[in-house]
Short mmCIF file of all heavy atoms in Angstrom, two decimals:
data_model
loop_
_atom_site.label_atom_id
_atom_site.label_comp_id
_atom_site.label_asym_id
_atom_site.label_seq_id
_atom_site.Cartn_x
_atom_site.Cartn_y
_atom_site.Cartn_z
N LEU A 22 118.05 -93.09 -112.47
CA LEU A 22 118.07 -94.53 -112.19
C LEU A 22 116.96 -95.27 -112.94
O LEU A 22 117.14 -96.41 -113.38
CB LEU A 22 117.95 -94.79 -110.69
CG LEU A 22 119.17 -94.41 -109.85
CD1 LEU A 22 118.84 -94.55 -108.36
CD2 LEU A 22 120.37 -95.31 -110.20
N GLN A 23 115.82 -94.64 -113.04
CA GLN A 23 114.68 -95.26 -113.73
C GLN A 23 114.77 -95.07 -115.25
O GLN A 23 113.94 -95.60 -115.98
CB GLN A 23 113.36 -94.64 -113.23
CG GLN A 23 113.05 -94.92 -111.78
CD GLN A 23 112.72 -96.38 -111.54
OE1 GLN A 23 112.10 -97.03 -112.37
NE2 GLN A 23 113.15 -96.90 -110.39
N GLN A 24 115.72 -94.28 -115.70
CA GLN A 24 115.91 -93.96 -117.11
C GLN A 24 114.65 -93.37 -117.73
O GLN A 24 114.14 -93.81 -118.76
CB GLN A 24 116.37 -95.19 -117.90
CG GLN A 24 117.70 -95.71 -117.43
CD GLN A 24 118.14 -96.96 -118.17
OE1 GLN A 24 117.38 -97.58 -118.91
NE2 GLN A 24 119.40 -97.34 -117.97
N MET A 25 114.13 -92.37 -117.04
CA MET A 25 112.96 -91.64 -117.54
C MET A 25 113.14 -90.17 -117.26
O MET A 25 114.02 -89.78 -116.50
CB MET A 25 111.65 -92.17 -116.91
CG MET A 25 111.59 -92.06 -115.40
SD MET A 25 110.03 -92.55 -114.58
CE MET A 25 109.37 -93.84 -115.51
N SER A 26 112.30 -89.35 -117.84
CA SER A 26 112.42 -87.91 -117.62
C SER A 26 111.94 -87.56 -116.21
O SER A 26 111.13 -88.27 -115.60
CB SER A 26 111.59 -87.14 -118.65
OG SER A 26 110.21 -87.31 -118.39
N VAL A 27 112.48 -86.45 -115.72
CA VAL A 27 112.09 -85.96 -114.39
C VAL A 27 110.59 -85.66 -114.38
O VAL A 27 109.89 -85.99 -113.42
CB VAL A 27 112.92 -84.72 -114.00
CG1 VAL A 27 112.42 -84.10 -112.71
CG2 VAL A 27 114.39 -85.06 -113.91
N GLU A 28 110.08 -85.05 -115.44
CA GLU A 28 108.67 -84.70 -115.51
C GLU A 28 107.78 -85.94 -115.46
O GLU A 28 106.77 -85.97 -114.77
CB GLU A 28 108.38 -83.91 -116.80
CG GLU A 28 109.00 -82.53 -116.84
CD GLU A 28 110.47 -82.55 -117.27
OE1 GLU A 28 110.99 -83.64 -117.62
OE2 GLU A 28 111.10 -81.49 -117.24
N LYS A 29 108.19 -86.98 -116.19
CA LYS A 29 107.40 -88.21 -116.22
C LYS A 29 107.40 -88.88 -114.84
O LYS A 29 106.36 -89.33 -114.36
CB LYS A 29 107.95 -89.15 -117.28
CG LYS A 29 107.09 -90.36 -117.52
CD LYS A 29 107.61 -91.16 -118.70
CE LYS A 29 106.73 -92.37 -118.94
NZ LYS A 29 107.18 -93.16 -120.10
N LEU A 30 108.56 -88.92 -114.19
CA LEU A 30 108.64 -89.52 -112.86
C LEU A 30 107.83 -88.70 -111.85
O LEU A 30 107.09 -89.27 -111.03
CB LEU A 30 110.10 -89.63 -112.40
CG LEU A 30 110.31 -90.24 -111.01
CD1 LEU A 30 109.74 -91.65 -110.95
CD2 LEU A 30 111.78 -90.23 -110.65
N ALA A 31 107.96 -87.39 -111.91
CA ALA A 31 107.20 -86.53 -110.99
C ALA A 31 105.70 -86.72 -111.20
O ALA A 31 104.93 -86.79 -110.23
CB ALA A 31 107.59 -85.07 -111.17
N SER A 32 105.27 -86.81 -112.45
CA SER A 32 103.85 -87.03 -112.74
C SER A 32 103.39 -88.37 -112.18
O SER A 32 102.31 -88.48 -111.60
CB SER A 32 103.60 -87.00 -114.25
OG SER A 32 103.88 -85.72 -114.76
N TYR A 33 104.22 -89.40 -112.35
CA TYR A 33 103.88 -90.73 -111.84
C TYR A 33 103.75 -90.70 -110.31
O TYR A 33 102.78 -91.21 -109.75
CB TYR A 33 104.95 -91.74 -112.28
CG TYR A 33 104.78 -93.09 -111.64
CD1 TYR A 33 103.81 -93.98 -112.11
CD2 TYR A 33 105.57 -93.48 -110.57
CE1 TYR A 33 103.64 -95.22 -111.52
CE2 TYR A 33 105.42 -94.72 -109.98
CZ TYR A 33 104.45 -95.58 -110.46
OH TYR A 33 104.28 -96.80 -109.86
N ILE A 34 104.73 -90.08 -109.65
CA ILE A 34 104.71 -90.01 -108.18
C ILE A 34 103.50 -89.23 -107.70
O ILE A 34 102.80 -89.65 -106.76
CB ILE A 34 106.02 -89.39 -107.64
CG1 ILE A 34 107.19 -90.33 -107.92
CG2 ILE A 34 105.91 -89.06 -106.16
CD1 ILE A 34 108.55 -89.70 -107.67
N LEU A 35 103.21 -88.12 -108.35
CA LEU A 35 102.07 -87.29 -107.95
C LEU A 35 100.76 -88.05 -108.17
O LEU A 35 99.87 -88.04 -107.30
CB LEU A 35 102.08 -85.98 -108.74
CG LEU A 35 101.05 -84.94 -108.36
CD1 LEU A 35 101.20 -84.54 -106.90
CD2 LEU A 35 101.19 -83.72 -109.25
N ARG A 36 100.64 -88.72 -109.30
CA ARG A 36 99.42 -89.48 -109.59
C ARG A 36 99.21 -90.58 -108.55
O ARG A 36 98.11 -90.73 -108.01
CB ARG A 36 99.51 -90.06 -111.00
CG ARG A 36 98.27 -90.83 -111.42
CD ARG A 36 98.32 -91.31 -112.88
NE ARG A 36 99.54 -92.04 -113.19
CZ ARG A 36 100.53 -91.59 -113.98
NH1 ARG A 36 100.44 -90.39 -114.52
NH2 ARG A 36 101.59 -92.33 -114.22
N GLU A 37 100.27 -91.33 -108.25
CA GLU A 37 100.16 -92.40 -107.25
C GLU A 37 99.81 -91.85 -105.87
O GLU A 37 98.99 -92.41 -105.16
CB GLU A 37 101.48 -93.20 -107.19
CG GLU A 37 101.77 -94.02 -108.41
CD GLU A 37 100.78 -95.16 -108.60
OE1 GLU A 37 100.44 -95.82 -107.60
OE2 GLU A 37 100.35 -95.36 -109.75
N SER A 38 100.44 -90.75 -105.51
CA SER A 38 100.19 -90.15 -104.20
C SER A 38 98.74 -89.67 -104.09
O SER A 38 98.09 -89.87 -103.05
CB SER A 38 101.13 -88.98 -103.96
OG SER A 38 102.46 -89.42 -103.94
N LEU A 39 98.25 -89.03 -105.14
CA LEU A 39 96.86 -88.56 -105.11
C LEU A 39 95.88 -89.72 -105.03
O LEU A 39 94.90 -89.66 -104.28
CB LEU A 39 96.56 -87.69 -106.34
CG LEU A 39 97.24 -86.32 -106.35
CD1 LEU A 39 97.02 -85.64 -107.69
CD2 LEU A 39 96.73 -85.46 -105.22
N GLN A 40 96.14 -90.77 -105.79
CA GLN A 40 95.25 -91.93 -105.73
C GLN A 40 95.25 -92.56 -104.35
O GLN A 40 94.20 -92.93 -103.82
CB GLN A 40 95.65 -92.95 -106.79
CG GLN A 40 95.30 -92.52 -108.20
CD GLN A 40 95.84 -93.46 -109.27
OE1 GLN A 40 96.60 -94.38 -108.96
NE2 GLN A 40 95.46 -93.23 -110.51
N ASN A 41 96.43 -92.65 -103.73
CA ASN A 41 96.51 -93.21 -102.38
C ASN A 41 95.78 -92.32 -101.39
O ASN A 41 95.04 -92.80 -100.53
CB ASN A 41 97.96 -93.40 -101.96
CG ASN A 41 98.64 -94.52 -102.70
OD1 ASN A 41 97.99 -95.40 -103.25
ND2 ASN A 41 99.96 -94.49 -102.73
N LYS A 42 96.00 -91.02 -101.49
CA LYS A 42 95.37 -90.08 -100.55
C LYS A 42 93.86 -90.08 -100.71
O LYS A 42 93.12 -90.15 -99.72
CB LYS A 42 95.93 -88.67 -100.77
CG LYS A 42 95.43 -87.65 -99.79
CD LYS A 42 95.86 -87.99 -98.39
CE LYS A 42 95.43 -86.91 -97.43
NZ LYS A 42 95.72 -87.26 -96.06
N PHE A 43 93.38 -90.00 -101.95
CA PHE A 43 91.93 -89.99 -102.15
C PHE A 43 91.32 -91.35 -101.83
O PHE A 43 90.18 -91.43 -101.42
CB PHE A 43 91.58 -89.55 -103.58
CG PHE A 43 91.84 -88.09 -103.82
CD1 PHE A 43 92.50 -87.67 -104.95
CD2 PHE A 43 91.44 -87.13 -102.91
CE1 PHE A 43 92.75 -86.33 -105.17
CE2 PHE A 43 91.68 -85.80 -103.11
CZ PHE A 43 92.34 -85.39 -104.25
N GLY A 44 92.08 -92.41 -101.99
CA GLY A 44 91.61 -93.72 -101.58
C GLY A 44 91.41 -93.78 -100.08
O GLY A 44 90.44 -94.34 -99.59
N GLU A 45 92.33 -93.17 -99.31
CA GLU A 45 92.21 -93.11 -97.85
C GLU A 45 90.97 -92.32 -97.46
O GLU A 45 90.25 -92.70 -96.54
CB GLU A 45 93.44 -92.47 -97.24
CG GLU A 45 94.69 -93.31 -97.31
CD GLU A 45 95.93 -92.56 -96.83
OE1 GLU A 45 95.78 -91.47 -96.25
OE2 GLU A 45 97.04 -93.07 -97.06
N ILE A 46 90.72 -91.23 -98.16
CA ILE A 46 89.56 -90.39 -97.84
C ILE A 46 88.27 -91.16 -98.09
O ILE A 46 87.37 -91.17 -97.27
CB ILE A 46 89.60 -89.08 -98.64
CG1 ILE A 46 90.75 -88.21 -98.16
CG2 ILE A 46 88.28 -88.33 -98.53
CD1 ILE A 46 91.02 -86.98 -99.02
#
Side-chain angles (χ1 to χ4, degrees):
L22 289 172
Q23 295 291 324
Q24 298 178 348
M25 60 176 33
S26 71
V27 173
E28 292 82 5
K29 188 173 181 179
L30 180 60
S32 295
Y33 172 77
I34 293 169
L35 186 59
R36 182 175 52 250
E37 291 293 317
S38 297
L39 289 173
Q40 287 173 352
N41 289 340
K42 184 64 176 175
F43 289 133
E45 290 173 11
I46 291 171

